[in-house]
Amino acid sequence: MQWFIFFLTLPHLKPDSLEPVWPAIESIFDAGRLASTLVILGLYIFKNRLPSKPVWILALMEGWLLFSTAVNKGNLRDAVMTFIAVLVTVCIVDLFSIWPVQLIRSLMLNLEWLIYGNLLSILLTYPQGLYINQPYFNSCYFLGYHNSFFQYVLLAICIACLYAHLEKRKIRAACLIAASYACVLITWSATSIAALMLVTVLLLLPSTLRRFITFPGVFAAAMIGNLSITVFRVMDRVPWAAWFIKAVLKKQTTLTGRIYIWDQFYKCFAQHPLLGHGVGSHLQFSTAPVGAHNQYFELLLTGGILTLVLFMLFTFSTGERLIRYRDRASSYIFLSILAGLYIIFIAEAYLTPTVFMLMTLPYYVNKFEGVSAPHRRKLRIVIRQSRLVPSQKSS
């Protein structure tokens, strides 16, 4: 089962380096996406079941983005491919959440080859990178630019923590977490470092203090921080915020020009607040097209107000589960990872299968408790002993 899930998921977690470095392999991944999509549709029909609420919300959101892109004559191919990849990955989580151990094992395999491959590319090619991303002239690695591969890092840390929790095998999980941290620390993305610091603090927090960490509190704090930076610009008005950005994160208070991009966003959004501009790069920075560099701004820019509303409904549907099952160990793992994700949303936008898979997993938090499977060696001993019992009784 775990290999079946692995190959269904594999083509949708496509490394960014395939298109510029190995274009022939990218076409194979695209064919795999189509095959995976057909299999998932077949499974829903065969099992005669409907997708869960988060899947429907994402389907509406991605469908609206497709419509907006078509109307605005944007990048329809990218919009279609993203639509397929996002829906199939969340459907994989939806379908196989009833087998949580097999699901986590398969995702461990997926994240291991991605993270270890990325770390290897960093160790071998840093700082010049595996390739240069035109027209931005950024050094990129197996999973792309250092800002973009943090989404894989967060998912890897989440899956590794769940694997250790379910399987009680901590060495394999610790190796994946260490490799994930190394990817971020070596390349040093300021926003990623800030998010990783928060995740680390929350995961290492004593159990006596964890009861104070709740989804409403985490989400509210993240939104206050988001608005304080993107709208009220506290880094220019609060001395300690400017000090933290300069001294700890080693960045300027302009956040690598993001404040200028956000100023452009306000004007661009005002032109099409309801429909948005569709999928594509609609802003400019240093003569290069860029995104909004903020999750919520990007949603408003591409799909308008309705897209942001649907995204919030999706977020709250999973958050409600974390509130309901807040006493579960896996709930706290998800909450810690989501806190880091909400921090990264301040300066980056990820409308990707990786992030939506990460945000969908908490909806099934109740599935990840009390299902730890025995190891194969222990299972053989149990079977062998059970076979000996009848003979002992007969003697």
Side-chain angles (χ1 to χ4, degrees), residues 48-67:
N48 194 27
R49 60 171 290 187
L50 294 173
S52 60
K53 181 167 66 174
V55 180
W56 287 112
I57 296 174
L58 278 180
L60 288 173
M61 191 186 84
E62 292 294 331
W64 180 256
L65 282 173
L66 273 179
F67 174 73

Side-chain angles (χ1 to χ4, degrees), residues 70-81:
V71 170
N72 289 285
K73 299 181 180 179
N75 195 333
L76 193 57
R77 180 187 181 278
D78 281 359
V80 170
M81 296 304 293

Side-chain angles (χ1 to χ4, degrees), residues 141-251:
Y141 304 92
F142 183 60
L143 291 177
Y145 188 49
H146 63 201
N147 283 348
S148 63
F149 61 63
F150 187 66
Q151 56 184 308
Y152 297 94
V153 166
L154 268 185
L155 182 58
I157 294 172
C158 179
I159 296 302
C161 289
L162 289 173
Y163 180 84
H165 174 60
L166 294 176
E167 295 277 24
K168 312 305 179 187
R169 292 180 175 180
K170 297 184 178 181
I171 295 179
R172 181 180 175 187
C175 289
L176 182 58
I177 292 174
S180 301
Y181 273 68
C183 289
V184 176
L185 293 174
I186 294 173
T187 56
W188 195 268
S189 167
T191 313
S192 301
I193 291 293
L196 201 58
M197 289 170 60
L198 178 60
V199 171
T200 305
V201 169
L202 290 178
L203 288 176
L204 297 179
L205 203 64
S207 57
T208 53
L209 299 178
R210 292 185 176 186
R211 61 191 179 91
F212 298 106
I213 309 300
T214 63
F215 175 79
V218 167
F219 186 77
M223 291 305 298
I224 292 172
N226 201 318
L227 291 173
S228 298
I229 292 174
T230 59
V231 178
F232 300 106
R233 310 288 169 85
V234 294
M235 54 276 192
D236 293 328
R237 296 178 172 88
V238 181
W240 67 262
W243 172 86
F244 180 78
I245 292 171
K246 292 178 179 178
V248 179
L249 301 181
K250 304 184 187 302
K251 288 289 183 180

